Amino acid sequence: MLTRLGADPVEVRKPEQLAGLAGLVVPGGESTTFMRLMRLYGLDEAVRSFGGPMLGTCAGMIVLDRNHLGLVDLEVERNGYGRQVASFEADLELADGEPLRGVFIRAPRVRDVGGGVEVLADLDGEPVLLREGRFVVASFHPELTDDTRVHERFLELVDEEAHVRA
């Protein structure tokens, strides 16, 4: 998705690979495994120190929450919408009025949101797309649809931050 939007993404597995990056995506996957490997390789502290914008999707949302890396002031329940067989898709309403299709696969459920966190989209009254400063997090997988708006917003944050630093 990022390549399609003109970005040049690189895979990060070690702390030194964060050097020089303008933004970071913490993708979906298995959050327990992510945290274990991040601690093992020192990537947890490197991500905490990373100053650029971050996008966390599904497991990435969990990794960034207050109970894991503590970078976004929200609390998340793993598999909050159910196990793999309970995966689903739903239309989410955004401020621009155009629905955004959300693909929820063993999705985390937001249980508590700090005062500085903005809800960008909800599902049946529960937040599923949020922003706190340079962080955007989603309970769902925006990369699994053709809709680029979540990634566009992330790249806008990256661009804004680059202009601030310049």
Side-chain angles (χ1 to χ4, degrees):
M1 183 73 73
L2 294 172
T3 301
R4 198 167 113 201
L5 293 171
D8 187 22
V10 296
E11 192 172 286
V12 173
R13 292 180 183 262
K14 296 180 181 173
E16 58 270 15
Q17 293 172 310
L18 289 172
L21 296 183
L24 181 65
V25 175
V26 184
E30 173 46 53
S31 61
T32 303
T33 302
F34 279 3
M35 288 306 301
R36 186 170 112 346
L37 291 171
M38 289 174 80
R39 279 190 292 273
L40 181 67
Y41 291 102
L43 200 50
D44 55 343
E45 290 307 318
V47 170
R48 276 191 187 101
S49 301
F50 183 76
M54 290 190 212
L55 170 62
T57 61
C58 199
M61 172 190 260
I62 297 167
V63 167
L64 296 174
D65 86 348
R66 68 171 76 120
N67 293 323
H68 293 85
L69 292 182
L71 294 170
V72 180
D73 189 15
L74 57 93
E75 191 170 320
V76 179
E77 175 189 359
R78 292 178 70 238
N79 302 325
Y81 290 97
R83 302 175 69 78
Q84 186 83 19
V85 296
S87 299
F88 63 96
E89 294 185 24
D91 285 330
L92 310 172
E93 200 169 310
L94 295 179
D96 66 8
E98 182 76 26
L100 172 71
R101 192 72 172 166
V103 179
F104 294 80
I105 303 170
R106 291 179 46 219
R109 189 173 229 147
V110 175
R111 291 300 183 197
D112 187 56
V113 177
V117 179
E118 176 187 6
V119 176
L120 304 175
D122 65 73
L123 176 64
D124 300 327
E126 293 187 28
V128 294
L129 179 63
L130 306 98
R131 177 179 177 198
E132 183 180 25
R134 62 188 174 94
F135 298 94
V136 175
V137 292
S139 293
F140 55 96
H141 289 270
E143 75 281 3
L144 295 180
T145 71
D146 288 331
D147 194 323
T148 60
R149 287 178 290 167
V150 172
H151 293 85
E152 286 172 16
R153 183 62 192 125
F154 170 66
L155 291 176
E156 287 170 10
L157 288 175
V158 170
D159 190 50
E160 289 168 13
E161 185 68 23
H163 285 89
V164 168
R165 287 187 215 165

